[in-house]
Amino acid sequence: MSTENAESTGTAGSTGTAGTAGTAETSGVTGTAGAAGPAGIAEASVRGAAAPVTRFDTKIAVLLRDDLETWQRLNVTAFLVSGLGTQVPEVVGEPYADADGVAYLPMFRQPVLIFEGTKEILKAAHTRALSRALPRALFTRDLFATGNDHDNRAAVRAVPTTDLDLVGLAVHGPRNAVDKTFKGARMHP
């Protein structure tokens, strides 16, 4: 995000305010960093000027099953986006530092949009992500019962692709490809 303003979702091709809800197939509203994240505001305040509006050519999106408990949604989201950051390094911005020079880790340079949908929508999105060869991370229901990275990978490896009990999926790619991949999903409330 850095000095760029954050993207939000709403109706296709329209301009609106961040936080406008819509479906994955209609996302694409440009909003302000103030609603989506603090980075643009902090830097704009330090510089004394508003940050420039940026519409990203790519999108980072997470799709969660709508029957997950709150703690599961948060846990799944954290795991999923960690995978994208390691495989798609261009989505990670520069490190942060506060006014006292204390350093902080870099974060994604663009917003992460969170969607939800039924088991069927998640399965269809997974199939479309595979057909589009989008960088992706997945989380299956089996991973709630494991306690370490080795067992997590073994749990996924033990199940054929079409039989995965998906509860979360994260993708990165061109805006239109991500919108089409998450068709039918809705913005997480």
Side-chain angles (χ1 to χ4, degrees):
M1 250 178 339
S2 116
T3 60
E4 296 111 347
N5 280 356
E7 169 191 339
S8 182
T9 54
T11 58
S14 65
T15 302
T17 58
T20 303
T23 64
E25 63 187 303
T26 62
S27 62
V29 175
T30 301
T32 63
I41 290 176
E43 290 183 11
S45 298
V46 170
R47 290 191 325 264
V53 175
T54 299
R55 180 174 175 166
F56 296 99
D57 293 334
T58 61
K59 188 177 278 188
I60 300 170
V62 173
L63 176 56
L64 302 170
R65 254 215 353 234
D66 59 4
D67 61 352
L68 296 178
E69 294 185 38
T70 301
W71 74 266
Q72 292 173 318
R73 291 170 188 249
L74 296 170
N75 185 267
V76 170
T77 300
F79 271 94
L80 290 172
V81 297
S82 71
L84 289 179
T86 62
Q87 294 302 305
V88 188
E90 64 271 16
V91 300
V92 178
E94 297 295 320
Y96 286 75
D98 63 25
D100 293 324
V102 176
Y104 302 94
L105 296 172
M107 295 185 285
F108 288 134
R109 63 178 196 82
Q110 67 188 89
V112 177
L113 305 173
I114 311 294
F115 297 91
E116 68 174 8
T118 63
K119 181 178 184 174
E120 295 75 24
I121 287 173
L122 194 54
K123 187 172 188 73
H126 181 246
T127 300
R128 290 190 288 264
L130 293 173
S131 71
R132 289 179 170 83
L134 293 175
R136 62 204 165 268
L138 63 78
F139 200 103
T140 66
R141 186 162 299 279
D142 297 333
L143 301 186
F144 290 125
T146 60
N148 60 71
D149 189 48
H150 179 267
D151 291 341
N152 287 349
R153 287 193 312 278
V156 172
R157 191 179 318 107
V159 180
T161 304
T162 57
D163 295 335
L164 291 168
D165 188 8
L166 297 167
V167 297
L169 177 70
V171 298
H172 172 264
R175 297 171 55 83
N176 284 344
V178 172
D179 289 345
K180 290 176 183 175
T181 298
F182 281 9
K183 182 178 180 179
R186 61 191 175 279
M187 285 296 294
H188 193 286

